[in-house]
Amino acid sequence: MSSSLESLVEQSKRRAAFAAVDKHVDSSVRVLGIGSGSTVVYAAERLVELKKQNKLHPQLVCVPTSFQSKQLIVEAGLIAADLD
């Protein structure tokens, strides 16, 4: 895949993730499932932005579907549920 095509794909993933978060997450959401797909990095990015703007529930708990998504949540400074 050419770098410009890769860039376009990544831009599309980012836009899709931001749109999904904006449509489905607001300050009333207290528990949020965080998946493991290729757009999860961008969803976490948007959640961090919303957290900084105080647009998320202050005690929002993110439930990861994988070890990798749990790492991403923690590294982003979000609260990760521990299902172990």
Side-chain angles (χ1 to χ4, degrees), residues 32-49:
L32 180 66
I34 302 293
S36 304
S38 61
T39 60
V40 70
V41 172
Y42 303 115
E45 179 184 338
R46 182 63 177 148
L47 289 170
V48 169
E49 288 179 1

Side-chain angles (χ1 to χ4, degrees), residues 12 19-20 24-25 31 33 48 51 62-63 73 75 77-78:
S12 297
H24 298 288
V25 182
V31 179
V48 169
K51 181 180 178 181
C62 299
V63 181
I73 293 164
E75 289 171 4
L78 301 167

